[in-house]
Amino acid sequence: MDKFTDDIGSVVAQIPDGATLAIGGFGYAGLPLTLCDALCEADRRDLTIVSNNIGGEDRGGGRLAREGRVRKFVGSFPIAPVFTEQLMTGRAEIELLPQGTMVERLRAAGAGIGAFYTATSVKTSLADGTYPSRYDADGHPVAFMAPKETREIDGRLMVLEYALHVDFAFVKAHRADRLGNLQFRLAARNFNPAVAMAAKVAIVETEEFVEVGDIEPDDVHLPGLFVDHVVLSEGAAR
Amino acid sequence: MSPAIGGEAAGLLAADGAGWSREGVAERARRDLRSGSFVNLGIGIPQLVADFVEPEAEIYIHSENGIIGAGPGAAEGEEDADIVDAGKRHITLVLGASTFDSALSFAIMRGGHLDYSLLGGMEVACNGDLANWAAPGRTPGVGGAMDLVQGAKEVWVLLLHRGKGGESKMRVRCELPLTGAGVTTRVYTDLGVFEPAGAAFRVIERAPGVTRALLEEATEAPLEWPEPDA
């Protein structure tokens, strides 16, 4: 079993236009920059991007948005002015999720949980069907996020949230071996395990590629069975 | 880190002498945090609370992106790209810190494991409703705000009592989109300390130099005074 390749181009080539892609990272920490750059160079478009934030950074999701490749953003922090402009002129859509709901929906997808109830967002515009998901060319709302089913559980109102499955995931690891075993570092772990779990195909870039056994069993943060491909981050040495 | 408590020299009082400065609000809230507790500090005045937490208090700061034991900002030249806080600033970790993934980080919030969640606010209402994520004319990023108000044992809102135009942020009902309904357990403003009591804010404490008349004028919602007024 060898999931490692130097050929980033052919790994990224399997992602078609219109794919749903989840990207790990919080700001630049744990953001798979090399893979995002490769996707831009492959000229993919109409993507649905699931990631915590978009556009706080020049690269990663920020670059995908700037180059007009994002058809829909699913996440908690859409702060790129360029994405806002695309949204308000009907060229992009949004599904705005509370951060913890987003990561739990991804985790649920990978864990075989169909849906779950949470108090997060109950009695807010993100749950009652009033938050616009799409605008026309003049900035008038033409579609809204679906209202969430609400139920009282243990005396507390909660909303129903469904698992969030994705076609592909981009993951950034600190160390990886050819089996795909991953070790993350400090606060760069963030969404990376959840996006890998939720994806049909998880593509990892790593700062360091190591021999099988170099990552102690206790230090494997994500077992290789969640991982399909491993490439090196730009500037990293094998 | 400046654990200066109560000193005017530390800039804890408002420039006009009525009430606290932003730092003063943070310092006042810090005095109510128990030693040996776990706390999340949101954007705005809550971030300033960290400056008043002495290491020996063993108050551990949770950061939504996967840290317990977030420390002060990193010195220039000593930044670690893998250690950032919720505002994406380069910070340090304190001795005894732990790091984990986002799913666990939000389980910590929703699961009721945090002692305190301190948040900034645009409006807070006497029924406990909080609005702090979406203002007109701003790109709405919700981040972790809606998760942070659910589950923590105490949800404190730290904000200035009035907006730039003098309008009261202490309201009967929030007009801006809600972050959470009925979630606030305590409010710290530049004019005092309050508890949402349903149809009114209960006055816990008036800040130095704040008269009863000033508080009545600055608060849209009714006030409930302790008997006798302290």
Side-chain angles (χ1 to χ4, degrees):
Chain A
M1 192 183 294
D2 190 357
K3 296 176 179 177
F4 182 81
T5 178
D6 284 316
D7 189 359
I8 296 178
S10 62
V11 168
V12 166
Q14 67 185 304
I15 302 174
D17 285 346
T20 298
L21 167 70
I23 304 175
F26 189 98
Y28 273 121
L31 184 62
L33 295 173
T34 304
L35 289 168
C36 290
D37 283 345
L39 193 63
C40 290
E41 277 137 36
D43 198 23
R44 293 300 187 268
R45 301 197 166 269
D46 293 323
L47 301 166
T48 293
I49 297 297
V50 180
S51 79
N52 181 54
N53 44 288
I54 197 162
E57 296 72 35
D58 295 334
R59 292 176 65 193
R63 178 173 172 194
L64 289 164
R66 194 172 61 248
E67 297 182 1
R69 305 181 185 284
V70 181
R71 175 72 205 132
K72 182 176 180 184
F73 171 71
V74 181
S76 86
F77 228 69
I79 52 171
V82 62
F83 179 79
T84 306
E85 205 262 328
Q86 292 162 5
L87 178 68
M88 299 309 290
T89 52
R91 288 175 291 157
E93 293 174 51
I94 190 166
E95 184 177 350
L96 190 64
L97 305 179
Q99 195 174 142
T101 294
M102 181 187 119
V103 70
E104 192 64 14
R105 287 182 60 193
L106 290 164
R107 201 198 71 81
I113 305 291
F116 58 91
Y117 282 94
T118 173
T120 301
S121 91
V122 74
K123 289 189 167 183
T124 73
S125 61
L126 298 190
D128 65 8
T130 62
Y131 191 85
S133 58
R134 197 152 52 80
Y135 296 83
D136 66 14
D138 300 320
H140 302 112
V142 290
F144 296 85
M145 276 169 51
K148 295 173 184 173
E149 183 186 319
T150 301
R151 186 192 280 205
E152 191 179 307
I153 294 176
D154 268 346
R156 201 165 171 205
L157 279 180
M158 296 198 170
V159 297
L160 182 65
E161 297 283 0
Y162 290 92
L164 179 53
H165 295 272
V166 296
D167 302 323
F168 297 91
F170 282 174
V171 176
K172 168 78 181 287
H174 176 52
R175 302 167 87 206
D177 64 26
R178 67 175 170 80
L179 305 181
N181 290 318
L182 305 185
Q183 183 180 16
F184 302 99
R185 188 172 170 271
L186 301 169
R189 195 181 318 188
N190 54 64
F191 298 92
N192 281 298
V195 298
M197 289 173 69
K200 293 192 190 96
V201 178
I203 306 170
V204 175
E205 66 169 84
T206 182
E207 291 171 346
E208 214 182 308
F209 183 69
V210 298
E211 294 298 326
V212 173
D214 282 356
I215 308 174
E216 292 291 326
D218 265 345
D219 298 332
V220 175
H221 296 139
L222 192 73
L225 60 75
F226 289 108
V227 170
D228 295 281
H229 305 283
V230 177
V231 304
L232 271 181
S233 287
E234 201 180 294
R238 184 166 179 177
Chain B
M1 304 287 275
S2 56
I5 306 297
E8 284 176 54
L12 299 182
L13 296 179
D16 66 3
W20 290 303
S21 63
R22 286 163 54 87
E23 289 75 13
V25 177
E27 190 275 331
R28 177 63 190 83
R30 184 290 166 242
R31 276 190 268 149
D32 289 343
L33 295 173
R34 278 189 322 277
S35 289
S37 60
F38 295 88
V39 55
N40 186 290
L41 302 176
I43 309 278
I45 297 176
Q47 284 177 310
L48 304 176
V49 173
D51 293 339
F52 299 99
V53 174
E54 318 79 355
E56 59 273 21
E58 296 204 312
I59 292 172
Y60 289 95
I61 297 171
H62 170 263
S63 186
E64 68 181 9
N65 53 314
I67 299 171
I68 285 178
E76 208 179 313
E78 288 176 26
E79 300 93 345
D80 184 322
D82 292 338
I83 311 177
V84 297
D85 69 3
K88 290 154 194 153
R89 297 172 310 162
H90 294 285
I91 60 163
T92 54
L93 301 179
V94 303
L95 192 67
S98 54
T99 54
F100 34 83
D101 78 297
S102 300
L104 185 66
S105 188
F106 283 84
I108 286 168
M109 293 180 205
R110 284 185 314 251
H113 307 287
L114 282 181
D115 295 298
Y116 307 96
S117 175
L118 274 53
L119 298 104
M122 296 168 185
E123 293 175 340
V124 61
C126 53
N127 62 1
D129 290 2
L130 169 66
N132 84 341
W133 72 279
R138 276 179 35 166
T139 311
V142 67
M146 287 187 184
D147 306 277
L148 277 165
V149 297
Q150 304 289 348
K153 294 182 183 82
E154 296 280 339
V155 176
W156 295 353
V157 178
L158 279 58
L159 78 175
L160 297 181
H161 210 99
R162 292 156 295 188
K164 287 199 177 78
E167 73 282 7
S168 181
K169 298 183 189 174
M170 301 281 283
R171 309 183 63 86
V172 176
R173 289 280 177 274
C174 292
E175 309 226 324
L176 294 169
L178 291 189
T179 309
V183 292
T184 308
T185 57
R186 200 167 252 227
V187 184
Y188 294 83
T189 80
D190 49 325
L191 302 186
V193 182
F194 310 86
E195 274 176 12
F201 282 108
R202 187 175 297 127
V203 181
I204 306 297
E205 181 179 325
R206 276 184 287 135
V210 175
T211 62
R212 186 169 170 148
L214 171 58
L215 213 48
E216 300 272 9
E217 186 196 312
T219 309
E220 189 219 58
L223 294 173
E224 192 181 296
W225 295 89
E227 299 290 344
D229 174 23

